[in-house]
Amino acid sequence: MDLEEDIRSLQLDSAEDINGVVNPEDEKPDVDNFDKMEDEGLLSGNDPKQEVQAQSVEAEPKAKDKEIPPVQDEEDEHMKKRHLNVVFIGHVDAGKSTTGGQILFLSGQVDDRTIQKYEKEAKDKSRESWYMAYIMDTNEEERVKGKTVEVGRAHFETDTTRFTILDAPGHKSYVPNMISGASQADIGVLVISARKGEFETGYERGGQTREHVQLAKTLGVTKLLVVVNKMDDPTVNWSKERYDEIESKMVPFLKQSGYNVKKDVSFLPISGLMGLNIKTRLDKSHCSWWDGPCLFESLDSIEVPMGDPQSPFRMPIIDKFKDMGTVVMGKVESGTIKDGDSLLIMPNKDHVKVVAIYIDEKRVNIAGPGENLRVRLSGIEEEDLLSGFVLSSAANPISTVTEFVAQLQILELLDNAIFTAGYKAVLHVHSVVEECEIVELLEQIDPKTRKPIKKKVLFVKNGAIVLCRVQVNNVICVEKFSDFPQLGRFTLRTEGKTVAVGKITAI
């Protein structure tokens, strides 16, 4: 198939050409087309992660713990439940870590004694209201500053679903870490502070609420739960007017960012600090007007299509360590892995054997799409692995490239910047972070007709959709968006700002 046919086979709808993201400057998004996006099946698929050492609430097994737990029966009740990854996103200080900590406490993952210890520690730092966040923010820097830096990771269960919580940083300095969390997620929980002034700060241009929503959509988070937190704050006091004001402002922006609000977005009020409307529904004494579900019920009700267990195996590596051999961590994006499998580590083509597979600290024989795994391998040393390498089927390995053709949506360039051949940026694709250069602009595409409008284009501005050739410094593992959406979508960032999002159309 020639390049032009390949491009047309991947056309998206209107400004959703790049996963529904449109230029944030647009005042009047084409709302009529939003409902068409999801029907085309182009916004499904979920991404892995970039290089960030995820921290776990549960301690990793130490090398000295020589006793290997027995393999769990494949029909174990725990494994019968579906598994979903939930990323908590939103502006700094919205209450993401506190809400995540409260979820773990209410689901029985953290005991009262631990909570009392955290309460005392927070009080000693004169930060009494931060104690729940300490469950997710485990290092000292995060606790002192009250800012999540790395992506916290923890697990909890409801009656029907096993969840992995990914607690993403809200501060703009740590957006690359937020990308790594969102790229692994199936569901996004957007935490918004209802406190007077805090919602406005996060929502205004430059606030992370906007950037996080756009990035989440780009990274394949198709379902969004918007929780309006701090409803118990004295400036709010469970005010329906404040809740409605926030919802009325967020809905147009979510549509503009590509979300089908009726099908894929839910709103609910909570108090993360007090644990209200999280595990059980709100009592009328707290909030007389809310008659909807609690957070656990909302999470349980979300339907997310899973990857194909029969397709070639792909698991991007997000972290590695030594523990009686070499252990890699990652999320299965497609295919199935079994104990004893012979696989390839790409791009180096190292042959490895699967020695053990762990899900949530339990050893299992088999795991499928969507699972977050630790896999012990033989045949490779830990120092020979990098984040961004991919554990891959030996019969049908992932593609390795130094150059690819992509369709890009320009969001917002830096002041005085021109997007043209020679433009350099940092590429984020699954768990890869790599410097790249735009080597050629092939054609500009009309957002409405989805057809080329300019050939031999020299440069483009904010909001443009352009087909271009991208070159990276080192060999990376990627796939075409049409084959593996989660391994074929990416973002471009420059000087701490997301300037473009795209999908790989040819390799």
Side-chain angles (χ1 to χ4, degrees):
M1 180 185 295
D2 64 24
L3 181 58
E4 204 165 297
E5 289 174 334
D6 191 48
I7 296 156
R8 294 203 176 98
S9 71
L10 288 165
Q11 287 169 339
L12 298 171
D13 202 341
S14 183
E16 300 93 9
D17 234 328
I18 301 300
N19 287 344
V21 177
V22 301
N23 178 17
E25 298 296 333
D26 289 348
E27 291 298 325
K28 295 182 179 177
D30 188 1
V31 178
D32 292 336
N33 284 328
F34 291 133
D35 292 343
K36 298 177 186 174
M37 299 185 306
E38 305 298 331
D39 299 333
E40 294 184 8
L42 291 159
L43 302 180
S44 59
N46 303 294
D47 289 340
K49 179 184 190 279
Q50 81 186 43
E51 52 181 318
V52 161
Q53 290 191 339
Q55 293 194 327
S56 177
V57 171
E58 303 162 304
E60 294 289 358
K62 304 289 191 294
K64 63 182 179 184
D65 298 334
K66 294 295 180 186
E67 187 176 337
I68 298 177
V71 175
Q72 297 290 312
D73 191 312
E74 289 178 30
E75 295 302 313
D76 190 304
E77 286 298 318
H78 171 81
M79 296 308 299
K80 283 183 180 178
K81 293 182 179 181
R82 68 170 184 164
H83 175 259
L84 292 176
N85 298 283
V86 183
V87 66
F88 280 70
I89 59 175
H91 192 66
V92 64
D93 288 337
K96 298 181 294 298
S97 299
T98 295
T99 303
Q102 189 69 257
I103 286 171
L104 295 179
F105 174 60
L106 293 173
S107 60
Q109 304 301 309
V110 183
D111 58 29
D112 285 323
R113 185 177 297 177
T114 305
I115 291 292
Q116 288 166 10
K117 184 185 84 171
Y118 289 154
E119 227 171 335
K120 181 180 184 304
E121 187 180 337
K123 193 170 184 178
D124 291 344
K125 291 183 169 77
S126 299
R127 294 288 187 268
E128 289 89 340
S129 65
W130 290 2
Y131 73 97
M132 274 292 173
Y134 285 8
I135 298 171
M136 295 301 299
D137 291 343
T138 52
N139 74 35
E140 191 58 26
E141 179 193 358
E142 293 179 320
R143 292 183 176 184
V144 169
K145 293 182 178 178
K147 290 187 178 76
T148 303
V149 176
E150 297 180 339
V151 176
R153 182 187 298 272
H155 312 282
F156 76 100
E157 294 186 27
T158 61
D159 291 340
T160 62
T161 311
R162 290 180 296 117
F163 290 98
T164 297
I165 295 178
L166 302 162
D167 178 29
H171 196 277
K172 63 183 178 183
S173 301
Y174 307 119
V175 168
N177 297 8
M178 175 268 162
I179 290 173
S180 73
S183 65
Q184 299 170 74
D186 306 300
I187 302 171
V189 175
L190 174 63
V191 183
I192 289 175
S193 170
R195 181 180 288 161
K196 190 174 181 181
E198 286 192 4
F199 164 67
E200 287 74 12
T201 302
Y203 181 69
E204 287 165 4
R205 296 201 186 284
Q208 297 319 114
T209 301
R210 284 173 171 267
E211 185 172 17
H212 279 200
V213 167
Q214 291 174 328
L215 283 171
K217 187 62 177 173
T218 304
L219 295 164
V221 179
T222 56
K223 305 286 183 178
L224 201 61
L225 199 54
V226 182
V227 298
V228 182
N229 189 25
K230 304 189 185 180
M231 288 295 291
D232 59 324
D233 189 82
T235 66
V236 183
N237 199 23
W238 295 98
S239 162
K240 186 177 189 302
E241 289 71 27
R242 178 61 166 165
Y243 176 83
D244 289 344
E245 177 194 1
I246 290 170
E247 184 173 351
S248 67
K249 287 183 177 176
M250 285 302 301
V251 165
F253 177 70
L254 290 168
K255 285 182 177 179
Q256 185 180 321
S257 299
Y259 280 98
N260 183 325
V261 176
K262 288 182 181 177
K263 287 169 58 179
D264 299 326
V265 179
S266 302
F267 285 80
L268 71 157
I270 66 163
S271 167
L273 185 62
M274 304 306 295
L276 299 175
N277 208 33
I278 291 180
K279 187 178 181 182
T280 55
R281 292 193 176 197
L282 269 174
D283 191 281
K284 292 296 181 184
S285 62
H286 287 111
C287 182
S288 59
W289 52 269
W290 178 255
D291 195 31
C294 62
L295 181 58
F296 277 29
E297 289 174 321
S298 296
L299 287 170
D300 260 345
S301 68
I302 294 176
E303 294 294 328
V304 177
M306 290 290 99
D308 182 4
Q310 304 302 321
S311 59
F313 184 73
R314 302 282 187 268
M315 189 186 93
I317 295 168
I318 60 173
D319 202 2
K320 42 70 183 276
F321 57 90
K322 286 184 178 177
D323 176 20
M324 296 163 56
T326 300
V327 179
V328 295
M329 293 172 60
K331 177 189 167 191
V332 179
E333 290 302 340
S334 72
T336 302
I337 185 171
K338 297 179 182 176
D339 214 342
D341 274 356
S342 294
L343 300 171
L344 279 181
I345 297 280
M346 299 294 284
N348 289 358
K349 299 182 181 176
D350 292 316
H351 289 268
V352 294
K353 186 174 182 181
V354 176
V355 178
I357 306 166
Y358 297 90
I359 299 176
D360 300 355
E361 310 304 320
K362 294 180 174 66
R363 189 174 177 191
V364 297
N365 279 323
I366 186 169
E371 294 288 359
N372 289 89
L373 306 181
R374 288 185 295 112
V375 182
R376 183 176 287 119
L377 302 171
S378 64
I380 194 166
E381 294 300 318
E382 182 253 356
E383 55 265 26
D384 295 328
L385 289 166
L386 293 173
S387 292
F389 282 15
V390 177
L391 190 58
S392 176
S393 158
N396 191 343
I398 191 170
S399 305
T400 57
V401 301
T402 55
E403 190 175 293
F404 56 85
V405 175
Q407 196 176 48
L408 272 178
Q409 164 88 51
I410 311 301
L411 295 179
E412 191 173 2
L413 300 170
L414 298 178
D415 291 342
N416 303 320
I418 297 174
F419 194 88
T420 183
Y423 187 92
K424 294 182 179 178
V426 178
L427 171 81
H428 295 260
V429 53
H430 61 84
S431 51
V432 171
V433 183
E434 186 71 44
E435 289 188 1
C436 72
E437 181 178 343
I438 308 301
V439 290
E440 184 183 3
L441 302 188
L442 300 172
E443 58 190 30
Q444 189 171 348
I445 295 165
D446 188 311
K448 290 189 168 56
T449 65
R450 300 175 294 169
K451 294 180 179 177
I453 52 175
K454 282 185 187 175
K455 299 228 176 185
K456 299 293 182 187
V457 61
L458 296 178
F459 68 92
V460 291
K461 298 178 181 179
N462 291 344
I465 297 173
V466 62
L467 194 76
C468 56
R469 282 197 303 120
V470 183
Q471 194 174 72
V472 289
N473 294 346
N474 298 299
V475 176
I476 61 171
C477 299
V478 294
E479 296 280 16
K480 285 165 55 178
F481 181 86
S482 56
D483 297 336
F484 294 85
Q486 60 275 33
L487 301 175
R489 54 161 64 91
F490 62 92
T491 62
L492 294 184
R493 289 177 58 81
T494 303
E495 294 181 25
K497 184 175 181 180
T498 303
V499 295
V501 295
K503 59 175 183 135
I504 296 169
T505 58
I507 51 179

